[in-house]
Amino acid sequence: MEIHCVVIHSGDLFCYDEYKIGVLMSSRLTIAIPTYNRSSLLRQALDSALAQTSPDIEILVSDNGSTDDTQALLERYYDPRLRKIRHDTTMTRGEHGTFLFAAVTTELVLVLSDDDWIEPEFAAEVLRLYDEHPEISFAYTGCIEHYDNAILPALVGPRVETPLDFFAAHYAGRRQVSWCACVLRVADIRACGPQPADRIMGDMFFWGRIGFKGPIGCVARNLAHYSVLRPGGGNESRSVPILNWGSEVRIIAGEIFERLQAAGLGAPQQRQLRRDMRHYTTRSLANQFLWGRISGMTSTTCLRELPGALRFRGWTLPALARVIIAHILPRKVLRGLIVSAAARLAQSRSQVLSVQHASS
């Protein structure tokens, strides 16, 4: 069956008359792939979505006004599970996300960036988790982070855990949730309302709220792949101004702290969580100095950001060391150091995970 691409003009609504309604109605999970001028990367993301072993999926590719050969690539794909939408104008990231969540017709959604990809069992394993534990607020899987040729497994939790345990472990650095590994209910996303224009982190904006609706579910297998550093790619969040990034990390942490406090978090736990959140924020700030330099920010610009960054509480010596090397080393050297550090961390983390699996 040939699936035609719907072209969305500014202000237009669209319908699903061209699609096989039976396929859409029977699907439970939409894999939504927003894309813009990255046809060289899109193929892998789309192929991984089409390779899913579960029949209960729909794939939605939304081209945000690309001017490269994205449309030529998409025209070569014909599959009853695939819906293709092309916009004639380019929206902001937040606007594009709002459009996608309005366009999804299934119960669940995964937002898969065009430079990320998933394993064939991803959908089947996540749907099995939702079937076993319908009380969960959202689900995520293990994820491999890619730093050029270095691969780093993310840290995950038990199959089900409370919001308190999850968020405490997240800010302590023991849980990592990538957007490409996170599946949420569409109704919950819509209930949050659109991502505000002044918010950068759409992933944490949503799961940081939805995570309090019930326990968090986890498939511990590494079923998703997140491109942190990749030739031809580029995570858009890495180019966000440093102080804007730090301020949003702190705002989100404050919102989550207030919800946990309202849920009855004890005084000793509050003190520990505050410390962990401050350290998390300054680590994130330090990393943003590194990403900013790699993305083209000059040392002079970084230096101008430094006084504002140092006003944040919770700096540690390792975090400050990252800021210093971001100022003094060339971009190529910084990239090499990040890849080498990821490889070393991957080795030590794999040993820890092996011990955990052996004892479980």
Side-chain angles (χ1 to χ4, degrees):
M1 173 185 176
E2 182 171 332
I3 306 298
H4 299 285
C5 179
V6 175
V7 180
I8 305 297
H9 302 286
S10 300
D12 283 356
L13 297 177
F14 63 95
C15 64
Y16 306 114
D17 293 344
E18 298 186 51
Y19 303 106
K20 187 179 287 185
I21 301 299
V23 172
L24 299 183
M25 294 298 292
S26 65
S27 300
R28 292 183 61 195
L29 170 66
T30 294
I31 301 171
I33 308 176
T35 188
Y36 177 69
N37 280 347
R38 297 208 288 192
S39 61
S40 61
L41 302 175
L42 175 60
R43 179 192 296 275
Q44 185 175 29
L46 182 51
D47 285 348
S48 75
L50 290 168
Q52 294 302 294
T53 59
S54 171
D56 299 326
I57 65 163
E58 178 195 2
I59 300 145
L60 170 61
V61 178
S62 181
D63 176 9
N64 195 14
S66 294
T67 56
D68 63 359
D69 61 345
T70 293
Q71 282 306 304
L73 171 67
L74 290 175
E75 286 172 3
R76 297 199 289 269
Y77 284 85
Y78 301 102
D79 191 292
R81 301 167 298 170
L82 175 60
R83 204 156 35 111
K84 299 176 284 187
I85 296 173
R86 178 168 60 87
H87 304 269
D88 67 348
T89 58
T90 301
M91 297 173 279
T92 66
R93 290 174 60 200
E95 291 169 342
H96 199 193
T98 300
F99 172 87
L100 280 172
F101 296 138
V104 170
T105 60
T106 54
E107 173 197 1
L108 303 167
V109 65
L110 164 72
V111 179
L112 182 65
S113 176
D114 56 8
D115 64 342
D116 299 330
W117 68 99
I118 51 178
E119 293 293 325
E121 301 86 6
F122 180 95
E125 290 295 328
V126 170
L127 292 175
R128 181 177 297 114
L129 176 59
Y130 268 100
D131 288 338
E132 292 175 1
H133 297 280
E135 74 279 9
I136 61 175
S137 56
F138 73 87
Y140 69 104
T141 76
C143 181
I144 296 293
E145 298 176 349
H146 291 260
Y147 295 78
D148 286 343
N149 60 345
I151 57 173
L152 177 63
L155 296 175
V156 297
R159 194 155 179 84
V160 177
E161 64 182 329
T162 67
L164 170 58
D165 289 341
F166 170 80
F167 284 109
H170 171 72
Y171 281 103
R174 299 192 302 272
R175 301 284 186 277
Q176 294 170 292
V177 180
S178 297
W179 201 216
C180 64
C182 186
V183 174
L184 302 96
R185 291 183 177 87
V186 177
D188 290 337
I189 292 175
R190 291 173 179 164
C192 290
Q195 178 183 336
D198 61 347
R199 289 298 182 95
I200 306 160
M201 305 174 199
D203 53 352
M204 288 193 72
F205 172 79
F206 290 110
W207 62 253
R209 288 163 168 74
I210 294 169
F212 288 90
K213 295 177 68 69
I216 287 84
C218 175
V219 177
R221 292 177 58 193
N222 292 321
L223 297 176
H225 297 264
Y226 173 44
S227 296
V228 184
L229 280 176
R230 182 179 182 184
N235 191 311
E236 293 179 359
S237 64
R238 305 306 188 198
S239 59
V240 173
I242 293 168
L243 295 184
N244 291 11
W245 180 269
S247 296
E248 182 158 342
V249 172
R250 185 166 57 184
I251 288 169
I252 292 173
E255 292 171 346
I256 290 174
F257 184 88
E258 289 177 0
R259 292 188 181 96
L260 290 172
Q261 191 177 42
L265 185 66
Q269 293 171 302
Q270 288 186 34
R271 288 192 293 271
Q272 182 62 50
L273 184 58
R274 282 191 186 278
R275 284 194 294 269
D276 289 341
M277 285 179 163
R278 287 168 182 160
H279 291 158
Y280 179 96
T281 300
T282 52
R283 283 198 309 271
S284 188
L285 268 170
N287 290 340
Q288 201 66 7
F289 274 97
L290 293 170
W291 299 126
R293 287 284 287 120
I294 289 174
S295 301
M297 184 182 296
T298 65
S299 295
T300 302
T301 302
C302 280
L303 191 61
R304 285 200 299 265
E305 298 279 309
L306 184 57
L310 291 178
R311 295 191 186 99
F312 286 74
R313 299 177 62 184
W315 283 99
T316 62
L317 288 177
L320 287 171
R322 295 181 195 180
V323 175
I324 292 170
I325 66 170
H327 281 78
I328 64 177
L329 294 180
R331 286 193 288 271
K332 186 175 181 180
V333 175
L334 284 174
R335 186 178 184 118
L337 285 175
I338 290 173
V339 173
S340 297
R344 290 194 300 272
L345 182 57
Q347 185 175 12
S348 62
R349 190 172 287 180
S350 296
Q351 292 171 351
V352 172
L353 292 174
S354 296
V355 171
Q356 290 176 345
H357 290 321
S359 61
S360 62

